[in-house]
Amino acid sequence: MTLLERKERKSYSEEEHLKQINQFVKIENFINEKLLFSKIFDIDNPDHYVWKLGAMGKLIKNNLIASWKNTTVLSLNNIYGMDKITNTDVLDKFSELFRSKKMEIPFGINRISNVNVEQFESAEFTFHSGDSNHINMDYFVVPSTSEAMLKTWNDFVIDFFYKIGFNDENIVTEFQNIVDHPSTDDYFFDRYITKFKFPFGEETVFTISDRIDFYFENSERSFSEEEINSLRIKDTLRNEKLLPHMLSINIDVDKLILALIFNGYRELQVRNAIIPTVIFSPQIAPVKCCVFPLSSVDRNVRMRSEKIHTDLNNEFKTLLDEKGTLEIRSMKYKEIGVPYFVTVDPELL
């Protein structure tokens, strides 16, 4: 490589990097302005800040967790949901459900946990240095089926991601085996890791791990030999009684929300202006519907609009706006990903 070629390549790299940073700053300003996330600055170092969920981001979180619950706990008859945010030892809950409640293998335990860790850093910012939520589901299976069930549940979660707006271009999944990661602190036998392609690099948003029977034998809670024997199940394929294998799903909720925002960010040409906007699926949109009366003086229109708004707002987050032209109102709420609009026309009452 000649000196000139080195210089040209370096210049091109810097130009691309600058373009990437400028695009990132535009998205950053947009999500801060729309209250999707908010910046928390360090008093001693104003150039350093962390991201926290904003008011709109918290609505997305609630919708995301509810959508996952609808897809699993409420739709499948073998998933037990723990409503409170908890880090309770899942093996205690498994033992209770299996021995006292007589739940049959396979079944899962779904919960939301708090994780007080710094998620990741980029050259531009830190995300997120306080408490964040993870969706955790542990699914207990017959040992001889664990390999097939690991792939089935990985496909199930990826399909859920597609339903809430992701596509193949932005996510990548890789398979790992413990042989390739012998020093890991988080034990697994096999696992799939799914990452989202952020502008600043790939970050893990979801993992599913086959932990085999490791945690039964190595739990902080010491099971007696009698308890261990009572938890063994018949594996007909292997023709012996074995401890169940545990598949652990972990979805980083806050990081997934950030990924959804980057995934849905668009810049639309409206007349002579470029309007930043974000597209959300109806399941996770922070505001699902807006009601637009087309007359601010017609009493019947106002009453009908308020009735529609009240009825819909009992089911999901709905706003009523009567100020400005229909185009201005529509664009204002399309910017934050509102999927549905209702107009109340005085001529069509």
Coordinates of all heavy atoms in Angstrom, one line a residue, residues 59 69 78 99 126 138 156 184 201 215 220 249 308-309 320:
L59 N -44.1 4.6 28.5 CA -45.3 4.0 27.9 C -44.9 2.9 27.0 O -45.6 1.8 27.0 CB -46.0 5.1 27.1 CG -46.7 6.2 28.0 CD1 -47.3 7.3 27.1 CD2 -47.8 5.6 28.9
K69 N -46.4 -10.4 27.6 CA -47.3 -11.2 28.5 C -48.4 -11.8 27.7 O -48.8 -12.9 27.9 CB -47.8 -10.3 29.7 CG -48.6 -11.0 30.7 CD -49.1 -10.1 31.8 CE -50.0 -10.8 32.8 NZ -50.4 -9.9 33.9
N78 N -49.1 -23.1 29.6 CA -48.1 -23.7 30.5 C -47.0 -22.7 30.9 O -45.9 -23.0 31.2 CB -47.4 -24.9 29.8 CG -46.6 -24.5 28.6 OD1 -46.8 -23.4 28.0 ND2 -45.7 -25.4 28.1
R99 N -44.1 -29.5 42.6 CA -44.4 -30.4 43.6 C -45.8 -30.1 44.3 O -46.6 -31.0 44.6 CB -43.3 -30.5 44.7 CG -42.0 -30.9 44.2 CD -41.1 -31.4 45.3 NE -40.7 -30.3 46.2 CZ -40.1 -30.5 47.3 NH1 -39.7 -31.7 47.7 NH2 -39.8 -29.4 48.1
T126 N -23.3 7.1 27.4 CA -23.4 5.9 28.2 C -24.9 5.5 28.3 O -25.7 6.4 28.6 CB -22.8 6.1 29.6 OG1 -21.4 6.4 29.5 CG2 -22.9 4.8 30.4
D138 N -37.8 -18.7 32.4 CA -37.1 -20.0 32.5 C -38.1 -21.1 32.2 O -39.2 -21.2 32.8 CB -36.6 -20.2 33.9 CG -35.5 -19.2 34.2 OD1 -34.4 -19.3 33.7 OD2 -35.7 -18.2 35.0
F156 N -39.3 -18.4 18.4 CA -40.5 -17.8 19.0 C -40.3 -16.4 19.3 O -41.0 -15.5 19.0 CB -41.0 -18.6 20.2 CG -42.2 -18.0 20.9 CD1 -43.5 -18.6 20.6 CD2 -42.2 -17.0 21.8 CE1 -44.6 -18.1 21.2 CE2 -43.3 -16.5 22.4 CZ -44.5 -17.1 22.1
T184 N -16.8 -18.4 30.9 CA -18.0 -17.5 31.2 C -18.5 -17.6 32.6 O -18.5 -18.7 33.2 CB -19.1 -17.9 30.2 OG1 -20.2 -17.0 30.4 CG2 -19.6 -19.3 30.4
G201 N -22.5 0.3 16.7 CA -22.1 -1.0 16.8 C -23.2 -2.0 17.2 O -24.3 -1.6 17.5
Y215 N -28.0 -25.6 37.4 CA -28.4 -24.8 38.6 C -29.1 -25.6 39.6 O -29.1 -25.2 40.8 CB -29.3 -23.6 38.1 CG -28.4 -22.5 37.5 CD1 -28.4 -22.3 36.1 CD2 -27.6 -21.7 38.3 CE1 -27.6 -21.4 35.6 CE2 -26.8 -20.8 37.7 CZ -26.8 -20.6 36.4 OH -26.0 -19.6 35.8
E220 N -27.4 -21.6 44.8 CA -27.0 -21.0 46.1 C -27.9 -21.6 47.2 O -27.4 -21.8 48.3 CB -27.2 -19.5 46.1 CG -26.3 -18.8 45.2 CD -26.5 -17.3 45.2 OE1 -27.4 -16.8 46.0 OE2 -25.8 -16.5 44.4
I249 N -34.5 -17.5 29.0 CA -34.7 -16.4 28.1 C -34.4 -15.1 28.9 O -34.9 -14.9 30.0 CB -36.1 -16.3 27.5 CG1 -36.3 -17.5 26.6 CG2 -36.5 -15.0 26.8 CD1 -37.8 -17.7 26.1
I308 N -65.7 9.6 21.9 CA -64.8 8.6 21.3 C -63.5 8.6 22.0 O -63.0 7.5 22.3 CB -64.6 9.0 19.8 CG1 -65.9 8.9 19.0 CG2 -63.5 8.2 19.2 CD1 -65.8 9.5 17.6
H309 N -63.0 9.7 22.4 CA -61.7 9.8 23.1 C -61.8 9.1 24.5 O -60.9 8.3 24.8 CB -61.3 11.3 23.4 CG -60.2 11.4 24.3 ND1 -60.3 12.0 25.5 CD2 -58.9 11.0 24.2 CE1 -59.1 12.0 26.1 NE2 -58.2 11.4 25.4
L320 N -56.7 13.6 22.3 CA -57.7 14.4 21.6 C -57.0 15.8 21.3 O -56.5 16.4 22.2 CB -59.0 14.6 22.3 CG -60.1 15.4 21.6 CD1 -61.5 14.8 22.1 CD2 -60.0 16.9 21.8

